[in-house]
Amino acid sequence: MSTILLAGGAGYIGSHTAVELLQAGYDVIVADNFCNSSPQSIKRVEMISGKHVPLYEVDIKDKKALSNVFLKHNIESVIHFAGLKAVGESMEKPLLYYSNNIDTTISLLEVMAEFHVHNFIFSSSATVYGTENPIPYIETMPRGTCSNPYGWTKVMMEQILEDAAKADPALSVVLLRYFNPIGAHPSSMIGEDPTGIPNNLMPYITQVAVGRRDHLTIFGNDYPTKDGTCRRDYIHVVDLAIGHVKAVEYASHHTGTEIFNLGTGTPYSVNEIVEAFEQATGVKIKREYGARRPGDIPEFYANADKAKAILDWKAEMGLYEMCRDSWNWQRNNPNGYQI
């Protein structure tokens, strides 16, 4: 089987994808600068899979360091996870987001061209649909007007990748538009471990549940939804990781650019997620309401029919499993990867 480079592969989605790729028979290389991840996650991946994963501390923007990784391994495909991803932080630090996310993409493309590597799977986001498109989002919709710099970086990177594929007939680009990944590996050995205050809902809930935080602040309860809180399409991270395995298989016999939504097609509100977590775990979550967060939109969810038809992929796990596995990870690792 071929060798896959995971750029930013020590993070939440990257580590789960590493496990699924290894179990599918691929060799995996990880390059990460650990700005929002831990090398401990890859040690855990090795324990789960029973396989060695070469790990390089590399800033993906550093082309010389990246080239050294390509020199040491016969890499056939790249999955690009190496992006900053906090909506709120992107509003405060737009230049950081534009420079990091776009430069990593260009560096990868240039080094791949140098080493004649032609398969690129990109960690994109449903945010590229913007604020104008009706829901559910479907891949044929145009990219929209984003409400935050994080979203704009994904739009720009998709455009860069499409242009690169048009210019290079050998290049295969698969754009995976994620919805809202939650959950953790059923082993409880890897999961979401954000640096500092969590920006995403589920790790905040689990940190309240384990006693690391006093209460959950829900940003806005006056949205035009049935309970006033935002609704999102949540997907189990293992289902999402399996989608990457399918994308690698597809990219190996495809050229040009193809887009796939990876979601369940079923939205849940913030309050519904909290209640589902309480039911799945028996742990009550203290919650308070705060002001709306800049850049949030009321609701969105996927039409994932294309992934089913072409990749033979669909989400298998429901909200109960997402909540159960998130809690099992957190209670078994109350401080995340910190020993």
Side-chain angles (χ1 to χ4, degrees), residues 139-157:
E139 294 89 345
T140 51
M141 290 174 174
R143 286 184 284 259
T145 302
C146 292
S147 56
N148 57 78
Y150 161 73
W152 279 120
T153 68
K154 294 294 188 183
V155 167
M156 293 172 185
M157 289 185 284

PDB file of all heavy atoms in Angstrom, residues 139-157:
ATOM      1  N   GLU A 139     -22.803  20.269  -2.922  1.00  0.00           N
ATOM      2  CA  GLU A 139     -21.506  20.612  -3.508  1.00  0.00           C
ATOM      3  C   GLU A 139     -21.604  21.466  -4.762  1.00  0.00           C
ATOM      4  O   GLU A 139     -20.640  22.151  -5.122  1.00  0.00           O
ATOM      5  CB  GLU A 139     -20.727  19.332  -3.825  1.00  0.00           C
ATOM      6  CG  GLU A 139     -20.323  18.511  -2.621  1.00  0.00           C
ATOM      7  CD  GLU A 139     -21.354  17.474  -2.190  1.00  0.00           C
ATOM      8  OE1 GLU A 139     -22.524  17.561  -2.645  1.00  0.00           O
ATOM      9  OE2 GLU A 139     -21.002  16.583  -1.405  1.00  0.00           O
ATOM     10  N   THR A 140     -22.742  21.445  -5.449  1.00  0.00           N
ATOM     11  CA  THR A 140     -22.885  22.234  -6.669  1.00  0.00           C
ATOM     12  C   THR A 140     -23.115  23.718  -6.396  1.00  0.00           C
ATOM     13  O   THR A 140     -23.063  24.529  -7.322  1.00  0.00           O
ATOM     14  CB  THR A 140     -24.065  21.702  -7.498  1.00  0.00           C
ATOM     15  OG1 THR A 140     -25.215  21.608  -6.652  1.00  0.00           O
ATOM     16  CG2 THR A 140     -23.742  20.345  -8.087  1.00  0.00           C
ATOM     17  N   MET A 141     -23.352  24.082  -5.148  1.00  0.00           N
ATOM     18  CA  MET A 141     -23.557  25.499  -4.807  1.00  0.00           C
ATOM     19  C   MET A 141     -22.250  26.280  -4.963  1.00  0.00           C
ATOM     20  O   MET A 141     -21.167  25.742  -4.739  1.00  0.00           O
ATOM     21  CB  MET A 141     -24.039  25.631  -3.359  1.00  0.00           C
ATOM     22  CG  MET A 141     -25.445  25.125  -3.128  1.00  0.00           C
ATOM     23  SD  MET A 141     -25.855  25.167  -1.357  1.00  0.00           S
ATOM     24  CE  MET A 141     -27.602  24.696  -1.431  1.00  0.00           C
ATOM     25  N   PRO A 142     -22.347  27.557  -5.319  1.00  0.00           N
ATOM     26  CA  PRO A 142     -21.132  28.379  -5.375  1.00  0.00           C
ATOM     27  C   PRO A 142     -20.612  28.650  -3.967  1.00  0.00           C
ATOM     28  O   PRO A 142     -21.371  28.635  -2.995  1.00  0.00           O
ATOM     29  CB  PRO A 142     -21.621  29.682  -6.021  1.00  0.00           C
ATOM     30  CG  PRO A 142     -23.068  29.763  -5.658  1.00  0.00           C
ATOM     31  CD  PRO A 142     -23.559  28.345  -5.640  1.00  0.00           C
ATOM     32  N   ARG A 143     -19.310  28.878  -3.875  1.00  0.00           N
ATOM     33  CA  ARG A 143     -18.784  29.335  -2.592  1.00  0.00           C
ATOM     34  C   ARG A 143     -19.389  30.696  -2.275  1.00  0.00           C
ATOM     35  O   ARG A 143     -19.557  31.534  -3.163  1.00  0.00           O
ATOM     36  CB  ARG A 143     -17.254  29.410  -2.645  1.00  0.00           C
ATOM     37  CG  ARG A 143     -16.597  28.033  -2.618  1.00  0.00           C
ATOM     38  CD  ARG A 143     -15.088  28.127  -2.565  1.00  0.00           C
ATOM     39  NE  ARG A 143     -14.537  28.488  -3.862  1.00  0.00           N
ATOM     40  CZ  ARG A 143     -13.978  27.629  -4.711  1.00  0.00           C
ATOM     41  NH1 ARG A 143     -13.893  26.347  -4.398  1.00  0.00           N
ATOM     42  NH2 ARG A 143     -13.492  28.033  -5.867  1.00  0.00           N
ATOM     43  N   GLY A 144     -19.690  30.907  -1.009  1.00  0.00           N
ATOM     44  CA  GLY A 144     -20.431  32.103  -0.629  1.00  0.00           C
ATOM     45  C   GLY A 144     -19.567  33.151   0.032  1.00  0.00           C
ATOM     46  O   GLY A 144     -18.336  33.112   0.010  1.00  0.00           O
ATOM     47  N   THR A 145     -20.248  34.110   0.651  1.00  0.00           N
ATOM     48  CA  THR A 145     -19.584  35.170   1.396  1.00  0.00           C
ATOM     49  C   THR A 145     -19.426  34.705   2.836  1.00  0.00           C
ATOM     50  O   THR A 145     -20.412  34.468   3.527  1.00  0.00           O
ATOM     51  CB  THR A 145     -20.424  36.466   1.366  1.00  0.00           C
ATOM     52  OG1 THR A 145     -20.619  36.848   0.005  1.00  0.00           O
ATOM     53  CG2 THR A 145     -19.730  37.582   2.127  1.00  0.00           C
ATOM     54  N   CYS A 146     -18.194  34.571   3.276  1.00  0.00           N
ATOM     55  CA  CYS A 146     -17.950  34.043   4.619  1.00  0.00           C
ATOM     56  C   CYS A 146     -18.106  35.143   5.666  1.00  0.00           C
ATOM     57  O   CYS A 146     -17.930  36.331   5.385  1.00  0.00           O
ATOM     58  CB  CYS A 146     -16.566  33.428   4.698  1.00  0.00           C
ATOM     59  SG  CYS A 146     -16.442  31.935   3.710  1.00  0.00           S
ATOM     60  N   SER A 147     -18.400  34.716   6.881  1.00  0.00           N
ATOM     61  CA  SER A 147     -18.631  35.671   7.963  1.00  0.00           C
ATOM     62  C   SER A 147     -17.397  35.844   8.844  1.00  0.00           C
ATOM     63  O   SER A 147     -17.454  36.570   9.831  1.00  0.00           O
ATOM     64  CB  SER A 147     -19.819  35.204   8.822  1.00  0.00           C
ATOM     65  OG  SER A 147     -19.597  33.898   9.318  1.00  0.00           O
ATOM     66  N   ASN A 148     -16.277  35.191   8.479  1.00  0.00           N
ATOM     67  CA  ASN A 148     -15.084  35.297   9.314  1.00  0.00           C
ATOM     68  C   ASN A 148     -13.838  34.943   8.495  1.00  0.00           C
ATOM     69  O   ASN A 148     -13.921  34.241   7.486  1.00  0.00           O
ATOM     70  CB  ASN A 148     -15.203  34.380  10.533  1.00  0.00           C
ATOM     71  CG  ASN A 148     -15.440  32.934  10.137  1.00  0.00           C
ATOM     72  OD1 ASN A 148     -14.533  32.230   9.738  1.00  0.00           O
ATOM     73  ND2 ASN A 148     -16.700  32.493  10.221  1.00  0.00           N
ATOM     74  N   PRO A 149     -12.659  35.430   8.915  1.00  0.00           N
ATOM     75  CA  PRO A 149     -11.423  35.158   8.165  1.00  0.00           C
ATOM     76  C   PRO A 149     -11.079  33.675   8.058  1.00  0.00           C
ATOM     77  O   PRO A 149     -10.533  33.253   7.038  1.00  0.00           O
ATOM     78  CB  PRO A 149     -10.358  35.922   8.965  1.00  0.00           C
ATOM     79  CG  PRO A 149     -11.107  37.052   9.598  1.00  0.00           C
ATOM     80  CD  PRO A 149     -12.451  36.463   9.963  1.00  0.00           C
ATOM     81  N   TYR A 150     -11.373  32.888   9.094  1.00  0.00           N
ATOM     82  CA  TYR A 150     -11.133  31.442   8.991  1.00  0.00           C
ATOM     83  C   TYR A 150     -11.836  30.876   7.757  1.00  0.00           C
ATOM     84  O   TYR A 150     -11.241  30.148   6.957  1.00  0.00           O
ATOM     85  CB  TYR A 150     -11.627  30.736  10.258  1.00  0.00           C
ATOM     86  CG  TYR A 150     -11.849  29.255  10.062  1.00  0.00           C
ATOM     87  CD1 TYR A 150     -10.772  28.380   9.946  1.00  0.00           C
ATOM     88  CD2 TYR A 150     -13.136  28.722   9.982  1.00  0.00           C
ATOM     89  CE1 TYR A 150     -10.972  27.013   9.753  1.00  0.00           C
ATOM     90  CE2 TYR A 150     -13.344  27.368   9.794  1.00  0.00           C
ATOM     91  CZ  TYR A 150     -12.263  26.520   9.679  1.00  0.00           C
ATOM     92  OH  TYR A 150     -12.468  25.173   9.474  1.00  0.00           O
ATOM     93  N   GLY A 151     -13.118  31.205   7.599  1.00  0.00           N
ATOM     94  CA  GLY A 151     -13.863  30.733   6.442  1.00  0.00           C
ATOM     95  C   GLY A 151     -13.271  31.219   5.135  1.00  0.00           C
ATOM     96  O   GLY A 151     -13.176  30.459   4.158  1.00  0.00           O
ATOM     97  N   TRP A 152     -12.855  32.484   5.108  1.00  0.00           N
ATOM     98  CA  TRP A 152     -12.257  33.024   3.883  1.00  0.00           C
ATOM     99  C   TRP A 152     -10.969  32.289   3.528  1.00  0.00           C
ATOM    100  O   TRP A 152     -10.670  32.087   2.346  1.00  0.00           O
ATOM    101  CB  TRP A 152     -11.991  34.516   4.029  1.00  0.00           C
ATOM    102  CG  TRP A 152     -13.194  35.367   3.793  1.00  0.00           C
ATOM    103  CD1 TRP A 152     -13.799  36.228   4.650  1.00  0.00           C
ATOM    104  CD2 TRP A 152     -13.952  35.454   2.574  1.00  0.00           C
ATOM    105  NE1 TRP A 152     -14.888  36.834   4.065  1.00  0.00           N
ATOM    106  CE2 TRP A 152     -14.994  36.381   2.790  1.00  0.00           C
ATOM    107  CE3 TRP A 152     -13.853  34.833   1.316  1.00  0.00           C
ATOM    108  CZ2 TRP A 152     -15.938  36.706   1.806  1.00  0.00           C
ATOM    109  CZ3 TRP A 152     -14.792  35.158   0.329  1.00  0.00           C
ATOM    110  CH2 TRP A 152     -15.810  36.082   0.581  1.00  0.00           C
ATOM    111  N   THR A 153     -10.172  31.878   4.540  1.00  0.00           N
ATOM    112  CA  THR A 153      -8.956  31.121   4.196  1.00  0.00           C
ATOM    113  C   THR A 153      -9.318  29.815   3.515  1.00  0.00           C
ATOM    114  O   THR A 153      -8.635  29.391   2.574  1.00  0.00           O
ATOM    115  CB  THR A 153      -8.061  30.828   5.429  1.00  0.00           C
ATOM    116  OG1 THR A 153      -8.702  29.914   6.325  1.00  0.00           O
ATOM    117  CG2 THR A 153      -7.673  32.100   6.157  1.00  0.00           C
ATOM    118  N   LYS A 154     -10.391  29.164   3.942  1.00  0.00           N
ATOM    119  CA  LYS A 154     -10.804  27.910   3.298  1.00  0.00           C
ATOM    120  C   LYS A 154     -11.261  28.170   1.863  1.00  0.00           C
ATOM    121  O   LYS A 154     -10.947  27.396   0.943  1.00  0.00           O
ATOM    122  CB  LYS A 154     -11.927  27.251   4.106  1.00  0.00           C
ATOM    123  CG  LYS A 154     -11.506  26.763   5.485  1.00  0.00           C
ATOM    124  CD  LYS A 154     -10.497  25.624   5.422  1.00  0.00           C
ATOM    125  CE  LYS A 154     -10.232  25.021   6.788  1.00  0.00           C
ATOM    126  NZ  LYS A 154      -9.214  23.962   6.763  1.00  0.00           N
ATOM    127  N   VAL A 155     -12.006  29.259   1.653  1.00  0.00           N
ATOM    128  CA  VAL A 155     -12.427  29.627   0.295  1.00  0.00           C
ATOM    129  C   VAL A 155     -11.201  29.846  -0.594  1.00  0.00           C
ATOM    130  O   VAL A 155     -11.119  29.336  -1.724  1.00  0.00           O
ATOM    131  CB  VAL A 155     -13.290  30.909   0.333  1.00  0.00           C
ATOM    132  CG1 VAL A 155     -13.466  31.490  -1.063  1.00  0.00           C
ATOM    133  CG2 VAL A 155     -14.657  30.616   0.956  1.00  0.00           C
ATOM    134  N   MET A 156     -10.252  30.618  -0.080  1.00  0.00           N
ATOM    135  CA  MET A 156      -9.064  30.944  -0.871  1.00  0.00           C
ATOM    136  C   MET A 156      -8.227  29.704  -1.162  1.00  0.00           C
ATOM    137  O   MET A 156      -7.721  29.523  -2.282  1.00  0.00           O
ATOM    138  CB  MET A 156      -8.231  31.995  -0.144  1.00  0.00           C
ATOM    139  CG  MET A 156      -8.925  33.338  -0.052  1.00  0.00           C
ATOM    140  SD  MET A 156      -8.014  34.501   1.001  1.00  0.00           S
ATOM    141  CE  MET A 156      -9.170  35.885   1.005  1.00  0.00           C
ATOM    142  N   MET A 157      -8.087  28.824  -0.165  1.00  0.00           N
ATOM    143  CA  MET A 157      -7.301  27.606  -0.381  1.00  0.00           C
ATOM    144  C   MET A 157      -7.979  26.681  -1.380  1.00  0.00           C
ATOM    145  O   MET A 157      -7.301  26.055  -2.207  1.00  0.00           O
ATOM    146  CB  MET A 157      -7.043  26.905   0.953  1.00  0.00           C
ATOM    147  CG  MET A 157      -6.064  27.661   1.827  1.00  0.00           C
ATOM    148  SD  MET A 157      -5.641  26.782   3.349  1.00  0.00           S
ATOM    149  CE  MET A 157      -7.092  27.052   4.340  1.00  0.00           C
TER     150      MET A 157
END
